[in-house]
Amino acid sequence: MSFTATAIVVLIASPGDTADERAAIQLQLSRWNVSRGERAGVVAVPWLYEQHAVPVLGGHPQSVINAQAVGRADVVVAFFDSRLGTETPEAVSGTAEEIKRAHAAGKPVHVYFSTEDIPRSADPNQLAKLAQFKKDMESEGLLGEYSSPENLASQVSNAIDFDVNTQNWCSTLGRTAGTAGTALEARRASQRTQ
């Protein structure tokens, strides 16, 4: 059976110490697509800089990511373990800049902080910057916490459900039955006409 769906681009934003979390979210979004995609008429397409960014000269690396991902994303999921990340010309870190730009553009942004034990190798300077950033972010809205990569992935799945419902991204494009395999007509949610 084939179905038509709206594709939403989900930017997975985080510093470099979150490889396990990034992999867990990517897997969870794949599961979400299988369990909910057809019913909701929506598929979530994860965007991860290490897999999808195209090297381009002509600006700060963060500006390249902003152009390729932040501007095209429909949702941003940002999370932090024990690092804030590398400062950019525009913000305290690349992830912080992605959060700021997406929020200013009116996109759904979900921000989570780890409650896992801090590794002994953690940089005290990064921990202090991260604590200050979290404190600053508390005035911007409700922040999430996670206890493991799997716990974070589960919360992200709930956030995508929330966004699909509140942003009215459920597809009204129609379904085609009786065809072997799956045919996907993908349109980014931001390109969809009402």
Side-chain angles (χ1 to χ4, degrees):
M1 182 169 115
S2 65
F3 69 96
T4 303
T6 298
I8 59 170
V9 176
V10 181
L11 172 58
I12 310 301
S14 66
D17 65 335
T18 57
D20 292 342
E21 289 92 332
R22 294 172 73 77
I25 290 171
Q26 189 172 20
L27 177 60
Q28 185 65 33
L29 290 178
S30 176
R31 290 176 176 156
W32 189 94
N33 287 336
V34 170
S35 68
R36 294 285 319 266
E38 182 176 358
R39 198 172 11 156
V42 176
V43 293
V45 179
W47 196 98
L48 297 92
Y49 78 89
E50 66 273 24
Q51 294 178 10
H52 302 108
V54 176
V56 178
L57 297 180
H60 187 275
Q62 186 61 50
S63 68
V64 172
I65 291 173
N66 292 341
Q68 293 181 18
V70 179
R72 295 176 47 215
D74 297 298
V75 177
V76 174
V77 174
F79 45 94
F80 300 88
D81 189 356
S82 62
R83 295 181 47 79
L84 178 58
T86 304
E87 189 172 338
T88 72
E90 303 292 324
V92 294
S93 77
T95 305
E97 186 171 336
E98 292 162 3
I99 292 168
K100 177 181 164 184
R101 286 178 175 273
H103 180 65
K107 299 176 183 194
V109 179
H110 308 284
V111 183
Y112 302 88
F113 293 87
S114 175
T115 60
E116 297 172 292
D117 291 337
I118 298 170
R120 290 182 65 141
S121 60
D123 179 345
N125 186 40
Q126 281 287 313
L127 288 171
K129 288 180 179 182
L130 180 59
Q132 182 60 52
F133 177 72
K134 183 178 180 183
K135 183 178 177 185
D136 295 344
M137 287 294 298
E138 288 172 347
S139 66
E140 297 294 323
L142 181 63
L143 304 177
E145 294 183 335
Y146 66 95
S147 58
S148 69
E150 295 74 24
N151 175 252
L152 174 61
S154 175
Q155 291 187 60
V156 168
S157 183
N158 291 338
I160 297 301
D161 280 338
F162 178 82
D163 293 338
V164 165
N165 291 327
T166 60
Q167 300 295 316
N168 197 27
W169 287 334
C170 290
S171 179
T172 57
L173 300 174
R175 302 181 189 285
T176 306
T179 307
T182 299
L184 176 64
E185 176 184 311
R187 290 190 294 175
R188 289 186 29 244
S190 60
Q191 294 175 324
R192 193 170 145 220
T193 58
Q194 299 296 332

